[in-house]
Amino acid sequence: MSNWLRRRFTDAYERMLRRQLDVAPTHVAIIQDGNRRYARERGDDAPDGHREGAKTTERVLEWCDDLGIEELTLYAFSTENFERPDGELEPLFDLLESKLHEFADSDRVHENGVRIGAIGDVDELPERVRDAVDYAESRTADYDQLRLNIALAYGGRSELLGAAREVAREVAAGDLDPEDVDVDAVERRLAKHTTRDVDLIIRTGGDERTSNFLPWHANGNEAAVYFCAPYWPEFSKVDFLRGLRTYESREQSWRQSRTERAVALLRAVTETELADAKAVATRLRGQLPSAGAREVSAELERQRGSEPVERAD
């Protein structure tokens, strides 16, 4: 297939996928895997793969803005990455530093109102990277159209452990009543930049695991997960749209399951008392999408139709 024909086919496929999407996720989190393997397969060094991956990151930001996604979290550097050799780490730190400055000064970032923030044990990073984080955060602090969270020196268990320790210290000091330790109390002590639960996790590079990424915000929210084979530098808009389609399919399935449970509950109630069923139906209709609300109303009408008619003596 010629390059021209391949581009035409890809463009048409992108348009088809875009038309199929009715609901976009609010918060997408991406594990950018495969940079080093991409470089090795081409006879290059690992830093070359990371530089190519950075170009993909720029494109993904454009796609998120185009599709109305409000928050993007990128797993750029895990706590395990510190174990890599210095010959690989130093160029990676250089790239993180330069890209943070580049994003912070980008006209597109400012035009699109992108707010940049880092999550993770940033204090463990070299000073030049910390300074770049501070620069990017301060330059974009007033924006809130699209939040870009960059996970640096990040580990999900470490994040949860840090929150638990902070809660324990405050309880021991008498600053926090044990009875007040709830979901909100823990969530306030997690990453300050993530603002909402994750709807969709995407992982590139072929591995099918979430690697300790955002366990509180993602797994607790039953986030949809999309694993794909392309290495991060090869990740295309078609791959991205396929991930969004996975999220939408999950949402449709979830809404249908919720509707089925609502109808089953209504049937159970009507077996005892129709008046109670009417009250339950009213509450359920307010919590379901329009199609589900219509199905609940139809079930209530069926129950009314089957109600025995009282005879006068």
Side-chain angles (χ1 to χ4, degrees), residues 6-235:
R6 184 179 292 108
R7 285 195 301 270
R8 290 293 299 272
F9 176 80
T10 300
D11 291 343
Y13 189 40
E14 282 183 11
R15 290 193 297 271
M16 184 196 74
L17 289 171
R18 180 70 182 270
R19 285 195 298 269
Q20 290 177 347
L21 293 175
D22 293 325
V23 181
T26 300
H27 185 179
V28 176
I30 303 179
I31 302 172
Q32 307 159 275
D33 196 16
N35 290 319
R36 293 189 297 168
R37 284 175 287 163
Y38 173 87
R40 282 198 300 266
E41 290 186 5
R42 284 156 180 75
D44 297 327
D45 295 326
D48 298 313
H50 292 303
R51 282 190 287 270
E52 289 300 311
K55 297 177 184 177
T56 301
T57 300
E58 296 172 17
R59 293 192 292 270
V60 170
L61 273 173
E62 296 176 11
W63 304 337
C64 286
D65 180 68
D66 178 50
L67 293 163
I69 293 166
E70 298 178 19
E71 188 161 0
L72 173 66
T73 301
L74 300 174
Y75 206 172
F77 189 88
S78 71
T79 51
E80 290 80 8
N81 290 155
F82 281 113
E83 300 173 5
R84 295 180 179 178
D86 290 341
E88 184 177 333
L89 282 178
E90 290 306 313
L92 181 53
F93 290 145
D94 290 340
L95 180 62
L96 290 171
E97 178 189 2
S98 65
K99 283 300 176 181
L100 283 165
H101 279 282
E102 184 179 321
F103 284 167
D105 293 331
S106 167
D107 290 339
R108 183 182 295 273
V109 164
H110 293 284
E111 290 168 1
N112 294 337
V114 180
R115 181 175 180 178
I116 301 172
I119 62 174
D121 294 329
V122 177
D123 290 341
E124 299 298 318
L125 296 167
E127 183 177 3
R128 68 182 188 278
V129 180
R130 297 199 305 270
D131 290 343
V133 167
D134 291 339
Y135 180 75
E137 290 182 347
S138 63
R139 286 274 286 151
T140 61
D142 295 332
Y143 302 141
D144 210 18
Q145 185 169 330
L146 170 61
R147 298 182 71 99
L148 171 60
N149 310 310
I150 304 175
L152 297 170
Y154 178 85
R157 287 184 177 181
S158 176
E159 181 185 40
L160 289 173
L161 183 59
R165 286 172 173 167
E166 186 175 341
V167 167
R169 284 194 296 267
E170 293 184 24
V171 169
D175 298 327
L176 180 63
D177 191 312
E179 296 298 321
D180 294 330
V181 179
D182 54 12
V183 169
D184 289 337
V186 174
E187 200 158 78
R188 287 194 300 271
R189 290 158 178 82
L190 295 173
K192 63 180 180 180
H193 286 287
T194 49
T195 60
R196 52 179 66 84
D197 286 335
V198 175
D199 300 308
L200 170 66
I201 293 179
I202 295 174
R203 180 170 187 147
T204 63
D207 281 346
E208 297 187 358
R209 52 197 174 92
T210 56
S211 294
N212 198 21
F213 189 35
L214 299 171
W216 180 279
H217 294 92
N219 295 340
N221 190 45
E222 298 183 351
V225 182
Y226 176 67
F227 300 112
C228 60
Y231 300 140
W232 179 241
E234 301 170 319
F235 187 70

